[in-house]
């Protein structure tokens, strides 16, 4: 299992993919380099319980959802295509994903999203793109992996992040809290936008558990500098038509953030034939 690393700030729990503006603590990364949106660690660490879940905190962001005047994140709701039915995708393979049963090299394409390279598959999704929103994934382990790889970045970095969160994140109080975090960071960014030399890429994954309703996946992220792989555990739930990312009770993307030196126990992206 990846080593647990705190991800908390003075205003409450911080999640590793909250927005595009971040800086890492010297004790963790020693550089400005993370995928998506790794929030600053500033000395007030989040405490974790024995099972690796985040302990309760007493403070939370006070920002209300929605941006100010001219803020695309607070302006519109889901696009009309949000309710359109998803097309049937050919991937119905429910076998566990391993090094010998993974995405084929030629199956995945990597497309740019605001500077981040995200994996796509014609068989597993996303099948529908609408602005910054990508949805409609196969009801399979592969579909769940791609849904999490895509949504974890899009939900916090979309130009219209409210619509992205509405469409891609599982509804509930967890989503409401996550929206507050993203909105606060996007409306009042405190860190510069990272350059291409400091943005990480998905290197490997491991499906921790999978059922027809829930998938839990660990992702390893590689950076141009920094050495160790950064890891994050993300959860997807099937809502009857598509995979949605499930946030933690604290409104975080993950309560299990860590790092490891190698990915020998994980499945690299595109190692198949």
């Amino acid at each position: 299992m990846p080593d647990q690393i705190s991800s908390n700030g003075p205003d409450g729990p911080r999640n590793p993919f909250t927005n595009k503006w971040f800086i890492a603590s010297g004790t963790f990364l020693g550089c400005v380099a993370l995928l998506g949106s790794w929030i600053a660690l500033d000395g007030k660490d989040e405490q974790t319980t024995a099972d690796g879940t985040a302990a309760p905190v007493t403070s939370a962001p006070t920002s209300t959802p929605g941006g100010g005047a001219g803020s695309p994140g607070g302006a519109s709701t889901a696009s009309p295509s949000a309710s359109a039915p998803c097309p049937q995708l050919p991937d119905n393979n429910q076998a566990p994903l391993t090094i010998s049963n993974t995405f084929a090299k030629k199956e995945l394409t990597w497309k740019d999203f605001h500077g981040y390279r995200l994996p796509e598959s014609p068989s597993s999704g996303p099948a529908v793109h609408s602005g910054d929103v990508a949805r409609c994934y196969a009801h399979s382990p592969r579909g769940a992996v791609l849904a999490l790889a895509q949504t974890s970045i899009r939900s916090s970095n979309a130009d219209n992040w409210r619509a992205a969160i509405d469409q891609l994140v599982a509804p509930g109080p967890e989503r409401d809290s996550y929206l507050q975090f993203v909105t606060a960071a996007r409306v009042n960014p405190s860190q510069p936008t990272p350059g291409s030399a400091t943005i990480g890429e998905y290197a490997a994954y491991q499906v921790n558990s999978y059922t027809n309703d829930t998938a839990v996946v660990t992702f390893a992220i590689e950076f141009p500098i920094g050495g160790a792989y950064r890891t994050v555990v993300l959860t997807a739930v099937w809502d009857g038509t598509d995979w949605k990312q499930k946030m933690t009770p604290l409104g975080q993307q993950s309560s299990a953030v860590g790092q490891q030196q190698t990915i020998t126990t994980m499945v690299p992206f595109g190692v198949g034939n």
Side-chain angles (χ1 to χ4, degrees):
M1 290 293 293
D3 297 332
Q4 295 294 312
I5 291 183
S6 62
S7 54
N8 198 46
D11 296 322
R14 304 299 186 96
N15 76 75
F17 295 86
T18 299
N19 77 338
K20 198 171 181 179
W21 294 266
F22 58 77
I23 186 169
S25 74
T27 56
F28 179 25
L29 301 179
C31 61
V32 181
L34 277 178
L35 175 67
S37 24
W38 214 294
I39 285 297
L41 309 181
D42 45 21
K44 297 187 178 181
D45 293 343
E46 175 186 50
Q47 299 299 314
T48 55
T49 61
D51 62 358
T53 57
V57 295
T58 57
S59 59
T62 57
S63 300
T64 56
S71 170
S76 64
T77 57
S79 66
S81 63
S83 59
C86 288
Q88 184 71 37
L89 288 169
D91 175 19
N92 59 7
N93 186 350
Q94 301 297 312
L97 297 182
T98 64
I99 291 179
S100 59
N101 179 38
T102 183
F103 299 98
K105 290 181 180 179
K106 295 181 180 179
E107 179 183 356
L108 288 180
T109 58
W110 294 81
K111 297 186 178 179
D112 178 83
F113 176 77
H114 296 310
Y116 305 107
R117 294 179 69 243
L118 302 182
E120 299 190 3
S121 161
S123 299
S124 305
V128 175
H129 290 80
S130 177
D132 279 354
V133 172
R135 64 184 186 89
C136 296
Y137 298 88
H139 192 191
S140 69
R142 287 179 178 83
V145 168
L146 293 181
L148 287 171
Q150 290 268 346
T151 298
S152 58
I153 301 300
R154 290 180 180 272
S155 65
S156 57
N157 290 288
D159 290 334
N160 189 336
W161 63 89
R162 177 185 291 276
I165 292 172
D166 283 347
Q167 295 182 53
L168 302 176
V169 176
E174 302 89 348
R175 183 174 73 179
D176 297 339
S177 296
Y178 178 65
L179 176 60
Q180 287 187 326
F181 287 127
V182 175
T183 301
R186 294 296 301 272
V187 174
N188 299 297
S190 59
Q191 303 299 336
T193 303
S196 59
T198 60
I199 292 179
E201 295 183 1
Y202 290 112
Y205 66 90
Q206 175 180 305
V207 179
N208 301 352
S209 62
Y210 178 85
T211 67
N212 284 335
D213 299 321
T214 306
V216 179
V217 182
T218 297
F219 289 93
I221 304 160
E222 185 177 18
F223 299 87
I225 53 178
Y229 293 91
R230 292 11 166 193
T231 58
V232 60
V233 180
L234 304 176
T235 301
V237 293
W238 184 256
D239 71 351
T241 59
D242 203 3
W243 290 108
K244 308 290 186 183
Q245 186 174 352
K246 179 72 172 178
M247 301 306 174
T248 74
L250 295 176
Q252 300 170 289
Q253 289 214 24
S254 177
S255 60
V257 181
Q259 62 180 335
Q260 58 192 43
Q261 295 300 315
T262 68
I263 55 172
T264 55
T265 61
M266 304 182 73
V267 182
F269 276 100
V271 297
N273 296 321

